[in-house]
Amino acid sequence: MGFLASITEDARNIRSKDPAARSLAEVFLCYPGLHAVIFYRISHFLYIHRHYLPARLISQWGRFFTGIEIHPGAKIGRRLFIDHGMGVVIGETAEIGDDVTIYHGATLGGTGHETGKRHPTIGNNVIIGAGAKVLGSFKVGDNSKIGAGAVVLKEVPPDSTVVGIPGRTVKRKGKRVKIDEIDDIIENKDCVRS
């Protein structure tokens, strides 16, 4: 998919998900989440072609104009929606699937203890609530939800809802779960590994 087609798809996705968006023109002109993704797509293109300094400069311009910091080395899928966006941070080795929604103040970061892959991998159709911190090199499974303000430090199985500090899975496949049950699920490799 080409650059313009990708950005248009992102804009249409925002328009469909946000009832406050009245038109595509409004999304293109007034949505910092879309602007941040545009800066990211340009900087990522430069980054993968080993033009690291120009890539970082463009990503910093994006941060200055939008308040959203996306490292050009991150891998982002299609139709990312960063709603409101101020304070969102996406680290260098983060990977984000398709149809992900991230709310303001969320961080996809490292713990400072890893080398190499040190940021999370976010599956498809995931929602990350306002102020959530997802820290470390692990996977958040498809169709999961991270609650506002949660601090997630370990793997999240698909179709799960995680809340609290530290983050705990409270729902899986629409049903409430006990903490012991989710630990058994993870130990039995029922969730997707990165």
Side-chain angles (χ1 to χ4, degrees):
M1 176 174 283
F3 177 76
L4 290 177
S6 175
I7 296 305
T8 301
E9 180 181 54
D10 290 335
R12 286 192 174 122
N13 178 54
I14 292 168
R15 171 76 175 90
S16 71
K17 287 184 175 179
D18 189 351
R22 304 284 187 248
S23 68
L24 274 179
E26 180 183 358
V27 172
F28 274 109
L29 295 171
C30 302
Y31 275 68
L34 179 63
H35 301 156
V37 170
I38 292 169
F39 278 107
Y40 160 77
R41 301 243 188 252
I42 295 166
S43 66
H44 183 68
F45 176 83
L46 293 169
Y47 188 88
I48 62 175
H49 289 90
R50 306 176 67 93
H51 301 292
Y52 301 121
L53 182 58
R56 287 303 304 269
L57 284 171
I58 290 170
S59 73
Q60 290 303 300
W61 292 341
R63 178 181 178 211
F64 175 79
F65 286 112
T66 67
I68 299 166
E69 182 173 345
I70 306 174
H71 193 284
K75 296 177 183 170
I76 297 177
R78 297 170 62 184
R79 297 177 298 278
L80 173 64
F81 178 24
I82 302 174
D83 197 7
H84 301 289
M86 184 61 75
V88 167
V89 177
I90 300 172
E92 177 184 20
T93 62
E95 298 177 41
I96 300 173
D98 297 335
D99 301 303
V100 171
T101 300
I102 301 175
Y103 289 93
H104 58 281
T107 299
L108 305 181
T111 63
H113 302 293
E114 303 100 349
T115 57
K117 173 78 168 115
R118 48 195 195 284
H119 301 99
T121 298
I122 308 298
N124 297 322
N125 198 37
V126 171
I127 297 173
I128 301 174
K133 310 302 177 207
V134 184
L135 307 173
S137 178
F138 55 86
K139 177 141 177 94
V140 174
D142 292 348
N143 308 308
S144 291
K145 297 175 184 160
I146 308 298
V151 178
V152 182
L153 302 171
K154 63 182 184 179
E155 192 155 341
V156 176
D159 306 300
S160 299
T161 300
V162 176
V163 299
I165 303 172
R168 295 180 184 268
T169 302
V170 295
K171 278 188 180 180
R172 179 130 198 270
K173 297 184 180 178
K175 297 179 184 173
R176 291 206 171 275
V177 296
K178 296 177 184 173
I179 300 304
D180 295 339
E181 290 175 18
I182 207 64
D183 289 340
D184 289 342
I185 290 167
I186 291 172
E187 286 178 19
N188 291 325
K189 310 285 189 262
D190 188 34
C191 51
V192 180
R193 294 281 175 197
S194 56

